[in-house]
Amino acid sequence: MNSDRTVIIKEDILIVDDTLENLRLLSTMLLKQGYNVRKALNGQMALKAVETVVPDLILLDIMMPDMDGYQVCQRLKQQSSTAEIPVIFLSALNEVFDKVKAFEVGGVDYITKPYQFEEVLIRIQNQLALKTAEREILQLNSQLEKRVQERTQQLEIANARLLEMALHDSLTGLPNRALFMKRLQSALQEVKANKSSQFAVLFLDCDRFKVINDSLGHLVGDELLIAIAARLQSCLSNGDTLARLGGDEFAILFTEIENISNAIQMATRILDLFSHPFQLQRREVFINASIGITLGNCDYEQPEHLLRDADTAMYRAKALGKGQFHVFDPEMHSVALRLLQLENDLRRAIERQEFVLHYQPIIDLNQGKISGFEALVRWQHPTRGLVSPGLFIPIAEETGLINPIGHWVMKQACRQLISWQQQKLVNDNLSISVNLSVRQFSQPNLIEQIDRVLAETLLNPQCLKLEITESAIMDNSQSAATILEELRKRQIHLSIDDFGTGYSSLSYLHSFRVDLLKIDKSFVQRLNGTSSNLGLIPAIISIAQTMGMKAIAEGIETTQQLIQLKKLNCDFGQGYLFSEPLNSKNVVELITSDPHW
């Protein structure tokens, strides 16, 4: 006896993240949604899991040890058996070139941490719906082709319905990314066939939409997105296409235009529309938008490149202050590519140990003698030569590469000081100062790393001074007190770098006691021998003296600046008046000359 049974197959999702808490939270929520969830802590585990059972979708973190998310995705796309698995990147990296790279290696979506689970869920649903729809279309076509001619109409209806689901956003009913890209491809082909034809792409992102979701809830957020879609649709012509790409991102294909001025007028009109409140069922909501514009032309070969450039321009609009539009300049893409290349080179530089340390002397202003050195990292690029720290340090900060670089700097600096001590070039009181980035200071195993460096180098902890910014303390206020207490136990000195340029409130100095305040060079450069340009320097020195700290002035370049700082009883100083940062060989020459200022 046969009976009809519906077999419910759970979609299989693989989550790859080296943070256990992220894995636990995300897997718990997805399990509640009825999905089958597997987890992997690193790239190798992920590849093994895919080899065992091919998942329906992968949520992939980028920053992981040994093998990052980009490399995992590339490996998957190289294999025919895994190339079609949708990969959604989850990352704290929020720069344009990070997203560009994610899509270049084969990702289908990119979600920035911290994320809202509802957003992750709808993007998962969209990707799985696309995959399911494509699979169902193939299955239906195969089955319906075997049926008799009278079923042809039913086949067409079924295909049309599935295609509608696959190509439209379930919330707003607008075309989704897939349909938008198809129409963009058609517009690009038209431009290539007819040189007089022009079109523009507008990429729109709502400013601070997350605040709406966090404060009013996701139901209100969804209602707002529907209202935004309706308002945008009202200002378009029949030939134009408005699509929701995901989250609070919309794209407009603006056709039959004469020049870029038409697109600018459209963007201006949209921004004016956003200046009026949105009347929802129970409340009135204000929200702004940032718009990126790119003009379609024959130079483009792929529709994805047009959307990429409009996205890049949108992020420039956000960087310029939000609530405005920006027209794409090809140089913007060149900059993104150069930064991406620099990031790739930076990753290899860590493996190849292309970094060197330079040392700038710190002078005891009362004695006029060298009391220590600040270790400054330099990148000796194999083809570019010395790369400015101002160029590669921000990239290292954003990508997390600053952690291995910073650890290397600390170890090398401690080794160098021990070497000088063993050669009897310096006395045991001379110190070495090392900068700690915000990311380094937030590492849970920071104290363990410092202990390991001191144990390996045998350096007296009293000779090590760590420099951090005010934001490093304030951004990690919960753990800062514990870290500072551990440093005090080891008699490691801590100084606040660029003091006076960060937080306006100084109350944190009472809670987080440090040993030295470093006066930023922007204050020192104003010194010209008159009392009118002293600025905050007397106040900073007074704060240091009152709280039992020492003050260090950086960026001293003239004798007049040195005289004024001595009169103000500043304890230490450094700058080009004494010496530029030197390599270890030149430091030895400086020490042996026994300078006095």
Side-chain angles (χ1 to χ4, degrees):
M1 177 177 176
N2 295 329
S3 61
D4 294 330
R5 293 184 178 180
T6 301
V7 179
I8 300 176
I9 302 175
K10 294 183 178 180
E11 285 137 324
D12 186 57
I13 298 177
L14 175 63
I15 307 173
V16 187
D17 197 315
D18 63 339
T19 304
L20 288 173
E21 185 64 14
N22 291 346
L23 283 176
R24 186 186 66 79
L25 291 175
L26 199 51
S27 62
T28 299
M29 290 185 286
L30 289 176
L31 285 170
K32 290 180 180 178
Q33 297 295 322
Y35 294 108
N36 182 50
V37 179
R38 291 183 290 150
K39 297 170 283 186
L41 280 168
N42 55 53
Q44 292 295 344
M45 288 179 63
L47 294 175
K48 189 67 177 176
V50 172
E51 182 181 349
T52 304
V53 177
V54 177
D56 294 297
L57 183 140
I58 298 176
L59 298 178
L60 182 58
D61 188 26
I62 292 178
M63 298 304 301
M64 295 185 295
D66 298 328
M67 180 185 297
D68 62 27
Y70 297 137
Q71 294 170 310
V72 174
C73 189
Q74 286 177 320
R75 292 274 292 273
L76 292 172
K77 298 304 174 182
Q78 290 170 356
Q79 302 294 326
S80 60
S81 60
T82 59
E84 299 302 320
I85 303 173
V87 177
I88 299 178
F89 283 96
L90 302 175
S91 176
L93 304 178
N94 197 28
E95 292 300 319
V96 172
F97 64 86
D98 297 314
K99 294 186 176 181
V100 169
K101 183 172 181 180
F103 289 112
E104 283 183 345
V105 299
V108 298
D109 208 342
Y110 190 107
I111 304 175
T112 304
K113 297 178 182 179
Y115 49 75
Q116 294 295 323
F117 176 71
E118 290 79 1
E119 178 186 0
V120 177
L121 182 61
I122 193 64
R123 296 203 189 194
I124 289 173
Q125 291 172 344
N126 286 341
Q127 293 300 328
L128 291 175
L130 271 172
K131 187 175 180 181
T132 300
E134 292 170 356
R135 184 167 55 245
E136 290 177 353
I137 289 173
L138 293 174
Q139 293 174 347
L140 284 174
N141 283 341
S142 177
Q143 294 172 4
L144 291 174
E145 285 175 357
K146 299 177 182 179
R147 297 181 182 180
V148 291
Q149 189 173 0
E150 60 265 22
R151 299 294 299 273
T152 302
Q153 186 176 6
Q154 296 179 4
L155 172 64
E156 293 174 351
I157 294 173
N159 282 340
R161 185 177 296 122
L162 287 169
L163 192 60
E164 182 76 11
M165 292 172 55
L167 298 178
H168 287 78
D169 173 53
S170 60
L171 177 65
T172 63
L174 293 175
N176 61 11
R177 182 185 293 270
L179 180 54
F180 185 81
M181 297 309 292
K182 286 186 177 182
R183 294 184 180 177
L184 190 54
Q185 176 71 59
S186 298
L188 188 56
Q189 291 173 346
E190 175 66 22
V191 166
K192 291 183 178 295
N194 181 6
K195 305 297 183 184
S196 62
S197 176
Q198 289 197 50
F199 68 92
V201 175
L202 279 64
F203 195 111
L204 182 148
D205 183 88
C206 299
D207 297 327
R208 302 179 74 248
F209 182 80
K210 183 176 182 295
V211 175
I212 302 294
N213 276 339
D214 291 347
S215 59
L216 303 180
H218 289 275
L219 290 178
V220 174
D222 288 348
E223 186 183 356
L224 177 59
L225 288 172
I226 295 171
I228 290 172
R231 188 172 293 187
L232 289 173
Q233 192 72 60
S234 68
C235 67
L236 300 181
S237 302
N238 290 334
D240 302 328
T241 298
L242 170 65
R244 182 184 176 216
L245 303 182
D248 58 338
E249 294 179 340
F250 294 84
I252 299 172
L253 175 58
F254 191 27
T255 56
E256 298 181 3
I257 66 173
E258 296 180 1
N259 50 51
I260 193 65
S261 298
N262 301 125
I264 291 174
Q265 291 172 2
M266 173 62 73
T268 302
R269 184 180 177 188
I270 292 172
L271 291 176
D272 180 65
L273 288 174
F274 271 75
S275 67
H276 304 288
F278 289 86
Q279 300 293 340
L280 306 182
Q281 287 186 359
R282 296 184 178 180
R283 62 185 71 248
E284 184 179 74
V285 175
F286 286 88
I287 192 167
N288 291 326
S290 298
I291 302 174
I293 305 172
T294 188
L295 191 65
N297 58 61
C298 296
D299 295 334
Y300 284 99
E301 296 296 333
Q302 299 294 332
E304 292 83 0
H305 296 167
L306 279 154
L307 194 62
R308 173 202 67 196
D309 291 348
D311 190 11
T312 299
M314 182 275 293
Y315 271 96
R316 179 63 60 87
K318 281 188 178 290
L320 292 174
K322 301 180 180 180
Q324 57 185 289
F325 67 85
H326 194 84
V327 179
F328 176 76
D329 181 340
E331 179 61 21
M332 295 165 60
H333 181 56
S334 299
V335 169
L337 287 177
R338 287 197 295 269
L339 289 175
L340 180 60
Q341 183 60 51
L342 196 63
E343 179 193 338
N344 292 337
D345 291 350
L346 191 59
R347 293 180 185 278
R348 286 191 288 266
I350 296 173
E351 299 172 4
R352 299 171 181 174
Q353 297 186 349
E354 294 173 358
F355 298 102
V356 294
L357 287 186
H358 285 186
Y359 304 88
Q360 187 171 40
I362 298 173
I363 312 303
D364 185 324
L365 299 186
N366 293 319
Q367 299 180 7
K369 304 289 289 182
I370 297 174
S371 66
F373 287 89
E374 180 181 358
L376 301 168
V377 65
R378 299 290 186 262
W379 179 10
Q380 187 64 54
H381 193 281
T383 58
R384 299 188 184 190
L386 279 177
V387 180
S388 168
L391 187 59
F392 76 84
I393 290 296
I395 296 177
E397 286 274 11
E398 293 169 7
T399 59
L401 296 174
I402 195 66
N403 289 334
I405 293 174
H407 184 262
W408 179 88
V409 169
M410 184 183 300
K411 182 183 293 186
Q412 291 300 115
C414 292
R415 282 177 177 173
Q416 184 62 76
L417 182 55
I418 279 289
S419 176
W420 288 334
Q421 290 176 350
Q422 292 173 345
Q423 296 175 61
K424 305 300 181 182
L425 293 171
V426 300
N427 59 47
D428 292 342
N429 295 324
L430 189 134
S431 63
I432 192 75
S433 297
V434 176
N435 289 281
L436 280 184
S437 71
V438 175
R439 274 183 175 265
Q440 283 180 275
F441 194 73
S442 64
Q443 290 182 104
N445 63 338
L446 174 63
I447 297 299
E448 179 184 341
Q449 288 187 17
I450 294 174
D451 286 341
R452 192 181 307 120
V453 168
L454 292 173
E456 291 176 2
T457 61
L458 302 179
L459 181 70
N460 184 341
Q462 297 182 50
C463 296
L464 178 61
K465 293 182 178 179
L466 301 178
E467 297 188 7
I468 61 173
T469 60
E470 295 170 271
S471 60
I473 290 180
M474 302 308 294
D475 292 348
N476 302 278
S477 57
Q478 292 183 344
S479 60
T482 302
I483 294 174
L484 297 183
E485 178 61 31
E486 292 297 322
L487 293 175
R488 272 194 294 271
K489 289 179 181 178
R490 291 157 177 78
Q491 297 183 301
I492 297 172
H493 289 185
L494 192 72
S495 65
I496 301 296
D497 198 11
D498 302 333
F499 185 77
T501 62
Y503 287 79
S504 57
S505 173
L506 302 180
S507 60
Y508 72 90
L509 288 178
H510 292 280
S511 303
F512 309 107
R513 296 300 300 272
V514 296
D515 303 286
L516 305 104
L517 301 182
K518 199 165 190 179
I519 303 170
D520 187 67
K521 62 182 179 182
S522 62
F523 299 128
V524 176
Q525 289 172 350
R526 299 172 189 168
L527 297 178
N528 60 1
T530 64
S531 59
S532 60
N533 285 332
L534 293 176
L536 294 176
I537 294 178
I540 295 174
I541 294 175
S542 177
I543 290 172
Q545 293 173 343
T546 300
M547 302 191 71
M549 306 174 186
K550 300 291 184 181
I552 305 176
E554 62 177 349
I556 303 174
E557 297 181 355
T558 68
T559 303
Q560 186 61 62
Q561 292 169 351
L562 176 60
I563 293 172
Q564 284 190 277
L565 288 166
K566 284 184 175 181
K567 288 181 179 179
L568 292 171
N569 295 321
C570 184
D571 302 288
F572 301 97
Q574 65 183 108
Y576 276 64
L577 176 64
F578 310 113
S579 172
E580 64 181 342
L582 304 170
N583 60 35
S584 57
K585 178 181 177 182
N586 291 337
V587 167
V588 172
E589 294 175 357
L590 177 66
I591 292 173
T592 54
S593 68
D594 192 25
H596 187 276
W597 292 273

